[in-house]
Amino acid sequence: MSSQLIQGNEACAWGALKAGVKFCAGYPITPSTDVVELLAQELPKAGGRFIQMEDEIASMGAVLGASVMGEKAMTVTSGPGFDLMQENIAFGAMAQLPCVVVNVQRSGPSTGGATLPAQGDLIQAKYGTSGDSPRIVLYPNSVEEIYRMTIQAFNYAEQYMTPVILLMDEIIGHMRENVDLEGVGDVEIVSRRRTDVPPAEYRPYAADETGIPILMPFGSGYRYVVQGMHHDVNGMPNTGAANVDATIRQINGKIDRHKERIWLWEEKETEDADILLVAVGCVSRSALEAVRQARRQGLKVGLFRPITVWPFPEEPLARALAHARAVLVPEMNWGQLIHKVKEVKPDAVKAVGLNKYDGTLIMPEEILKVIEEVRA
């Protein structure tokens, strides 16, 4: 495949196919529908299945069922569909079932504006479910990166045995760029671990030295219980204090102890930046242009872009703030990412938000205007 003009949503579907997805269940919803339309067409050619379910709740349930069978599985949604999936995402976290959930963000709350871009799901992506459970959330900002991060989302899901969320937004989902997907190098494909322990000795939730369990596919001779209750190493219900404590420690600890391997981020002009921009997704593209224009004016402005939004790359951001006297967080919501940035920044660094929630993109000129205000 030579360089082609490819849409972000299409790149997501091609990335999933490259990662080896074999099952997708979804319910069409703007602005994510292009992903499932392409998967419905291409998955059968790759030996997989696509099912249009009656709603997003059923979609997420079907995906978890496919994961129990050992298949790489995904669903795709937007806005209110993501709301409906939260209960089953929590189930997947508790039962430690790997899968990928793609959320192409749109303006909300509720049905909001189907075609209006927004970044209002940053906090929900981690905290939308009940209880304490881990979450890996990736947020690319280009068509090529959507392709690579879709593959990475499957890799993380299979490696850490947990649902992984790929956040996009309407702008990068519908954006088209020239990309040679076959030319995207160093694409590692991770498959789920298997055990050679005999079925009679198998303990599905007995994590090894990595802190991560090995769940054998149903139908392969291994029998165990999969459920949402606190459970012991055999999967059987156990709400004793010691077991509940151990369960919470295990499902959260497996992400915490490996977070440095999960962190992905990009820095531009941060070495001497006294004003640091922190932005994700479509807004990070405007922020990068603002950095370029500011540098041409002799201003020491840099950009820190979390690609892994959760677990948040705290230590890399702290290092990028080494010379900063102010951090500016432009985001298309009422103010979400800035809360995490405030947790990381030193007290001496001033935090300033630039929030836009009218369904239009934050432009570089708007960011430059706030930079001038911060410098004044």
Side-chain angles (χ1 to χ4, degrees):
M1 183 185 294
S2 58
S3 181
Q4 294 184 355
L5 193 60
I6 297 175
Q7 187 194 63
N9 282 345
E10 295 170 349
C12 178
W14 288 118
L17 290 163
K18 180 68 176 180
V21 66
K22 293 300 180 187
F23 182 80
C24 177
Y27 185 81
I29 182 170
T30 303
S32 69
T33 304
D34 314 273
V35 183
V36 292
E37 284 183 341
L38 186 54
L39 286 173
Q41 173 184 312
E42 297 296 329
L43 249 180
K45 300 176 186 176
R49 294 286 186 275
F50 170 81
I51 300 178
Q52 179 176 323
M53 304 299 289
E54 64 269 34
D55 57 32
E56 289 86 351
I57 299 173
S59 298
M60 192 64 214
V63 165
L64 295 177
S67 182
V68 170
M69 299 302 294
E71 300 290 357
K72 290 186 177 181
M74 69 182 298
T75 186
V76 186
T77 190
S78 300
F82 193 53
D83 295 344
L84 293 172
M85 292 180 177
Q86 294 302 316
E87 182 178 358
N88 275 334
I89 291 175
F91 183 95
M94 184 59 139
Q96 307 194 61
L97 300 174
C99 62
V100 172
V101 180
V102 178
N103 175 16
V104 186
Q105 297 169 94
R106 69 187 209 185
S107 179
S110 189
T111 47
T115 59
L116 300 179
Q119 297 179 311
D121 302 345
L122 298 178
I123 296 296
Q124 184 193 23
K126 176 171 174 54
Y127 295 106
T129 61
S130 61
D132 293 310
S133 64
R135 199 72 72 241
I136 298 175
V137 180
L138 305 177
Y139 194 168
N141 81 339
S142 70
V143 172
E144 179 182 322
E145 195 169 80
I146 289 170
Y147 177 77
R148 289 191 288 109
M149 288 303 106
T150 303
I151 298 170
Q152 190 66 61
F154 277 97
N155 288 347
Y156 282 163
E158 298 293 327
Q159 188 171 359
Y160 297 106
M161 298 298 287
T162 190
V164 173
I165 295 167
L166 181 73
L167 276 184
M168 294 164 52
D169 53 62
E170 188 277 338
I171 288 177
I172 65 168
H174 284 159
M175 179 176 64
R176 290 184 180 273
E177 293 180 310
N178 269 316
V179 180
D180 178 6
L181 296 183
E182 289 188 355
V184 176
D186 300 326
V187 179
E188 180 187 15
I189 306 296
V190 175
S191 297
R192 199 173 309 183
R193 293 189 301 160
R194 302 292 179 94
T195 183
D196 55 5
V197 171
E201 302 174 15
Y202 177 60
R203 302 290 180 268
Y205 290 102
D208 60 11
E209 66 280 0
T210 67
I212 305 166
I214 299 176
L215 297 186
M216 295 297 287
F218 274 21
S220 62
Y222 292 81
R223 296 182 179 181
Y224 55 98
V225 175
V226 175
Q227 56 168 314
M229 289 187 67
H230 292 286
H231 46 263
D232 61 19
V233 294
N234 294 310
M236 299 304 291
N238 186 333
T239 55
N243 187 72
V244 171
D245 180 88
T247 301
I248 296 298
R249 288 181 184 275
Q250 193 267 318
I251 63 174
N252 287 278
K254 69 180 179 180
I255 303 302
D256 285 346
R257 67 189 292 186
H258 297 290
K259 64 183 180 183
E260 294 184 0
R261 296 180 180 178
I262 299 170
W263 286 341
L264 299 169
W265 73 94
E266 182 184 44
E267 297 183 40
K268 296 289 187 182
E269 308 281 5
T270 58
E271 294 82 1
D272 62 346
D274 59 13
I275 297 178
L276 186 70
L277 309 183
V278 180
V280 292
C282 62
V283 176
S284 67
R285 299 171 70 96
S286 294
L288 180 57
E289 178 57 25
V291 169
R292 290 171 178 152
Q293 293 187 31
R295 286 280 169 175
R296 286 197 286 270
Q297 298 173 26
L299 306 180
K300 294 180 179 179
V301 179
L303 170 66
F304 183 89
R305 178 171 70 91
I307 301 172
T308 304
V309 178
W310 305 110
F312 191 81
E314 298 174 345
E315 293 167 20
L317 175 58
R319 291 194 293 269
L321 285 166
H323 303 287
R325 60 184 177 86
V327 55
L328 169 58
V329 186
E331 51 184 328
M332 293 171 60
N333 53 47
W334 190 257
Q336 299 190 14
L337 184 62
I338 193 171
H339 294 298
K340 190 61 189 177
V341 172
K342 286 180 176 177
E343 289 181 14
V344 176
K345 75 168 188 63
D347 292 340
V349 176
K350 180 181 181 181
V352 179
L354 169 55
N355 305 104
K356 195 172 184 180
Y357 28 80
D358 63 359
T360 62
L361 177 63
I362 296 176
M363 302 302 289
E365 294 75 18
E366 295 173 285
I367 298 173
L368 284 166
K369 182 180 178 182
V370 178
I371 291 173
E372 289 298 331
E373 293 172 355
V374 170
R375 294 183 66 245

